[in-house]
């Protein structure tokens, strides 16, 4: 880990503080303002701990050894405030470990924004977010680390995989959002430009971690268009992103290489009182180019989809059934060409995951969950948990999780 | 279970489950629940869509620019469930998820939660811009009724 990466919280908090100090005085809470600013202060948080048990392969720590792995922990807290009726200040700190090192728990600024709602009438809303904003990507990305907002302990890994998660989390820049309510339904759009965080996970997934240099993010773009009918009974969304980074190195042979990640996701959901059916389909175009050394550059399109049924069979109980498929390269779905090239086993290029889950809301603040995964392939298995790449094609996983929030 | 068998087996199961649980459309029922606001709120009436956006915490201001302060009862309170279904046409779990997504992504805030209908009235009566709901029988002169179109 480089020095600049080791203190993201300090850098981020400094810039957020600067932003707040700049914006704060612009909107003094006047005496005749109908809302008292301190009355609008809200603090929320969450804490989740999971136990991961696998028969083969490791997921989020040494899950296949002894009694499993307890190295999946998520802790977060946020604060929000409305200093003016059209302004929202919000920031969240996240401490998370999913396998890896204990030092991964170091708190990071998850988001920190000044949200200004520039226009609102009875059917329209327009505004902007400046700072570190969460990327609206598919149904779950913006709150992917909060167990209460997920349908299961693990989000469908074909789309919300962990191995390059830092790329998609949030961006430092500016986003514009809009909402229009029409008789046929509600339309929501968000478009943002900014610098994503490129963590060690990305370099590792691209096998650049052992190379001389590091990936630096460039200006990237993200957008989502969402349609909601019947107050959320039916929802459809299309998300797209263009994420860019450059490999910086002292060695000419490595310097200036480009990473480009262009995913598209189509999301559909039908949500009833007692059940919901959700499907998402993603095409993920990823390429490395401009590296002087041949053999480093590549250009592939991956494909992901899942179909998920959740049933609320009691006020506080819910079960889930999901089938989730990942293909790393559409031109080599079985991974046979990959294996023939000597790069690794064919089963590391795809994954098919059948999941059965159960959740119990013991109390509005306490959630207990368990789920079972039958997986064929290791396409989304984090390589940091399985460094010697001696993985098994068929494996089973059992998870338990307790989550608390306030 | 073989790898090839997966998609179709799952698909068949899901389709059967879906057919069995197809929703039965309920007829509109006359509700004794009312939207109530602090007397400072100038809006003469609102549409169901706007009410939904307000209680989903997506609409932050009244049409005249005044800040909205949303007050709700706990999810498990029968009056809250009736309110979401009868007046807004959504389910409590949908509202809760909407709040959670706003709160934990930095795009909004949660509504204020009170424990009883009396607390609800008290809070609305004393908070400029406040909106909530109440059964007709609880209504008193400290709050105004906001008709829904």
């Amino acid at each position: 880990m480089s020095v600049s990466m080791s203190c993201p919280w300090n850098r981020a908090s400094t810039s957020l503080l600067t932003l707040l100090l700049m914006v704060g005085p612009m909107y003094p809470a006047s005496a005749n303002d109908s809302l008292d600013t301190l009355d609008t202060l809200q603090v929320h948080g969450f804490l989740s701990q999971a136990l991961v048990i696998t028969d083969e392969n490791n997921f989020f720590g040494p899950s296949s050894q002894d009694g499993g792995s307890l190295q999946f922990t998520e802790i977060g807290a946020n604060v929000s405030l409305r200093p003016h009726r059209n302004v929202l200040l919000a920031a969240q700190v996240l401490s998370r470990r999913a396998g890896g090192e204990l030092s991964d728990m170091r708190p990071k600024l998850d988001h920190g924004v000044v949200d200004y709602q520039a226009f609102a009438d009875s059917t329209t809303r327009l505004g902007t977010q400046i700072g570190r904003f969460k990327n609206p990507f598919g149904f779950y990305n913006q709150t992917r680390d909060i167990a209460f907002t997920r349908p299961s302990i693990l989000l469908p890994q074909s789309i919300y995989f962990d191995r390059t998660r830092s790329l998609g989390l949030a961006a430092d820049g500016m986003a514009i959002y809009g909402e229009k309510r029409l008789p046929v339904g509600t339309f929501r759009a968000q478009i943002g430009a900014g610098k994503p965080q490129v963590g060690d996970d990305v370099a590792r997934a691209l096998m650049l971690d052992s190379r001389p240099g590091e990936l630096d993010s460039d200006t990237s773009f993200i957008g989502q268009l969402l349609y909601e009918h019947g107050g959320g009974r039916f929802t459809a969304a299309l998300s797209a992103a263009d994420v860019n980074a450059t490999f910086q190195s002292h060695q000419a042979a490595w310097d200036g290489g480009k990473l480009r990640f262009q995913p598209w996701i189509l999301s559909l959901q039908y949500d009833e009182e007692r059940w919901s059916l959700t499907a998402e389909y993603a095409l993920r175009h990823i390429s490395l180019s401009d590296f002087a050394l041949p053999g480093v550059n590549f250009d592939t399109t991956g494909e992901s989809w899942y179909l998920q049924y959740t049933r609320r069979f009691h006020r506080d109980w819910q079960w889930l059934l999901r089938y989730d498929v990942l293909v790393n390269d559409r031109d080599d779905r079985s991974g046979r060409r990959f294996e023939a090239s000597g790069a690794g086993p064919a089963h590391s290029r795809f994954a098919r995951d059948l999941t059965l889950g159960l959740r119990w809301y013991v109390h509005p603040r306490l959630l207990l969950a368990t789920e079972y995964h039958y997986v064929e392939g290791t396409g989304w298995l984090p390589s940091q948990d399985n460094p010697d790449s001696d993985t098994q094609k068929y494996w089973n996983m059992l998870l338990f999780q307790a989550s608390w929030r306030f | 279970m073989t790898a090839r068998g997966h998609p179709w087996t799952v698909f068949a199961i899901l389709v059967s489950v879906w057919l069995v649980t197809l929703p039965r459309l309920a007829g509109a029922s006359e509700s004794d629940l009312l939207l109530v606001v602090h007397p400072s709120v100038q809006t003469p009436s609102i549409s169901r869509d706007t009410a939904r956006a307000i209680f989903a915490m997506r609409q932050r201001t009244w049409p005249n620019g005044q800040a909205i302060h949303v007050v709700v009862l706990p999810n498990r309170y029968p009056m809250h469930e009736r309110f979401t279904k009868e007046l807004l046409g959504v389910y409590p779990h949908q509202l809760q998820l909407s709040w959670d997504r706003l709160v934990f992504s930095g795009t909004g805030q949660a509504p204020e939660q009170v424990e009883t209908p009396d607390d609800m009235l008290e809070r609305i009566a004393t908070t400029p811009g406040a909106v909530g709901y109440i059964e007709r029988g609880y209504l008193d002169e400290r709050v105004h009724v906001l008709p829904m179109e």
Side-chain angles (χ1 to χ4, degrees):
Chain A
M1 191 178 269
S2 71
V3 176
S4 66
M5 296 284 302
S6 66
C7 52
W9 168 231
N10 288 340
R11 276 192 307 162
S13 57
T14 311
S15 46
L16 180 75
L17 196 65
T18 317
L19 204 56
L20 294 185
L21 288 175
M22 276 164 54
V23 174
M26 286 163 60
Y27 301 102
S30 56
N32 59 1
D33 202 329
S34 51
L35 270 183
D36 190 350
T37 298
L38 271 183
D39 265 1
T40 68
L41 179 74
Q42 291 192 359
V43 178
H44 297 275
F46 57 93
L47 194 159
S48 291
Q49 176 61 52
L51 169 65
V52 187
I53 303 168
T54 53
D55 57 348
E56 310 287 351
N57 308 330
N58 287 319
F59 189 80
F60 290 172
S63 58
S64 65
Q65 293 156 32
D66 304 324
S69 166
L70 286 166
Q71 298 178 9
F72 183 26
T73 308
E74 298 156 307
I75 305 170
N78 68 55
V79 56
S80 63
L81 185 69
R82 288 173 64 184
H84 179 269
R85 60 177 189 252
N86 289 327
V87 178
L88 171 76
L89 305 179
Q92 179 163 283
V93 173
L94 173 70
S95 166
R96 177 181 188 266
R97 184 182 189 189
E101 308 290 328
L102 188 60
S103 60
D104 291 353
M105 289 291 287
R106 184 183 294 117
K108 294 184 179 72
L109 182 69
D110 180 61
H111 65 252
V113 293
V114 176
D115 182 313
Y116 174 63
Q117 188 173 278
F119 177 81
D121 67 13
S122 58
T123 63
T124 315
R125 203 160 81 89
L126 267 178
T128 180
Q129 284 207 327
I130 298 167
R132 175 168 295 176
F133 61 88
K134 296 299 281 181
N135 286 324
F137 201 56
F139 280 140
Y140 302 113
N141 191 59
Q142 284 186 311
T143 54
R144 63 186 283 162
D145 298 315
I146 296 92
F148 281 88
T149 68
R150 298 189 294 241
S152 45
I153 298 173
L154 298 179
L155 282 173
Q157 292 290 298
S158 75
I159 291 176
Y160 306 94
F161 43 83
D162 229 66
R163 49 199 296 172
T164 56
R165 75 176 234 116
S166 66
L167 267 188
L169 283 180
D172 295 336
M174 182 176 162
I176 294 168
Y177 60 82
E179 177 174 322
K180 184 76 188 170
R181 291 190 294 274
L182 298 171
V184 295
T186 299
F187 290 87
R188 266 183 226 129
Q190 184 173 338
I191 187 157
K195 290 198 172 207
Q197 288 120 68
V198 182
D200 296 347
D201 54 342
V202 181
R204 204 180 300 119
L206 295 166
M207 290 182 253
L208 288 171
D209 52 332
S210 56
R211 306 305 184 190
E214 64 176 41
L215 277 169
D216 257 7
S217 62
D218 299 326
T219 302
S220 301
F221 304 91
I222 185 146
Q224 184 180 67
L225 182 66
L226 185 141
Y227 169 73
E228 199 179 85
H229 183 78
R233 196 145 303 177
F234 173 73
T235 310
L238 188 64
S239 320
D242 183 6
V243 182
N244 301 288
T246 303
F247 199 70
Q248 311 277 4
S249 175
H250 297 303
Q251 296 182 22
W254 290 98
D255 193 43
K258 302 277 185 212
L259 163 68
R260 193 153 194 210
F261 180 47
Q262 295 163 296
W264 285 85
I265 303 189
L266 175 68
S267 314
L268 298 169
Q269 183 173 63
Y270 193 83
D271 189 16
E272 262 295 333
E273 181 170 21
R274 308 245 165 217
W275 59 275
S276 53
L277 192 60
T278 309
E280 294 195 283
Y281 175 84
L283 279 177
R284 296 169 287 107
H285 180 219
I286 186 160
S287 67
L288 285 184
S289 61
D290 298 356
F291 281 98
L293 290 168
V296 178
N297 298 324
F298 72 86
D299 190 321
T300 59
T301 300
E303 191 179 273
S304 313
W305 64 268
Y306 72 86
L307 188 62
Q308 168 183 293
Y309 176 80
T310 54
R311 172 95 198 164
R312 285 171 282 276
F313 62 95
H314 176 274
R315 190 188 65 183
D316 304 321
W317 290 81
Q318 175 178 312
W319 61 258
L320 164 144
L321 180 65
R322 180 170 64 214
Y323 187 66
D324 179 43
V325 176
L326 168 94
V327 170
N328 271 342
D329 183 355
R330 291 177 93 204
D331 296 330
D332 182 27
R333 289 173 178 272
S334 66
R336 273 190 215 106
R337 274 216 324 254
F338 183 79
E339 186 169 283
S341 75
H347 68 248
S348 68
R349 303 296 286 167
F350 62 84
R352 293 185 267 265
D353 176 1
L354 182 66
T355 305
L356 196 59
L358 184 68
R359 288 159 89 73
W360 176 28
Y361 295 88
V362 183
H363 179 270
R365 297 188 189 286
L366 180 64
L367 167 66
L368 297 180
T370 181
E371 70 199 37
Y372 165 72
H373 295 250
Y374 171 72
V375 195
E376 179 194 359
T378 59
W380 43 255
L381 199 66
S383 51
Q384 69 170 1
D385 296 317
N386 303 273
D388 52 4
S389 75
D390 178 25
T391 55
Q392 298 297 312
K393 182 177 178 181
Y394 294 94
W395 53 294
N396 295 275
M397 177 159 56
L398 187 62
L399 298 105
F400 300 91
Q401 188 179 52
S403 309
W404 178 77
R405 70 159 164 202
F406 64 87
Chain B
M1 193 180 284
T2 67
R4 265 168 217 284
H6 272 165
W8 294 113
T9 318
V10 174
F11 184 70
I13 293 171
L14 288 176
V15 168
S16 350
V17 171
W18 181 64
L19 288 173
V20 174
T21 53
L22 268 179
R24 289 161 297 278
L25 291 173
S29 59
E30 204 51 39
S31 180
D32 65 335
L33 285 164
L34 299 166
L35 273 185
V36 285
V37 292
H38 183 269
S40 66
V41 174
Q42 305 288 315
T43 311
S45 70
I46 58 170
S47 69
R48 180 186 250 208
D49 280 350
T50 305
R52 214 181 255 156
I54 287 173
F55 281 91
M57 299 300 285
R58 294 189 171 281
Q59 185 80 22
R60 299 178 199 161
T61 49
W62 294 107
N64 69 352
Q66 186 183 22
I68 299 177
H69 184 86
V70 177
V71 186
V72 295
L73 289 164
N75 281 350
R76 297 178 183 208
Y77 216 94
M79 196 197 290
H80 177 74
E81 186 173 339
R82 281 182 49 229
F83 164 72
T84 64
K85 289 193 204 169
E86 292 171 15
L87 261 60
L88 301 182
V90 300
Y91 301 112
H93 79 267
Q94 292 173 320
L95 274 188
Q96 181 65 51
L97 188 59
S98 166
W99 302 335
D100 289 346
R101 285 187 172 160
L102 294 175
V103 164
F104 291 107
S105 66
T107 50
Q109 292 193 304
E112 179 184 357
Q113 202 181 78
V114 292
E115 294 306 317
T116 65
D118 286 331
D119 294 346
M120 167 84 83
L121 275 178
E122 178 63 27
R123 201 63 187 124
I124 291 168
T126 56
T127 313
V131 59
Y133 48 86
I134 207 79
E135 274 167 3
R136 198 176 288 277
Y138 281 94
L139 198 60
D140 69 30
E141 70 290 346
R142 294 176 299 160
V143 298
H144 286 180
V145 171
L146 179 62
M148 236 168 75
E149 293 155 12

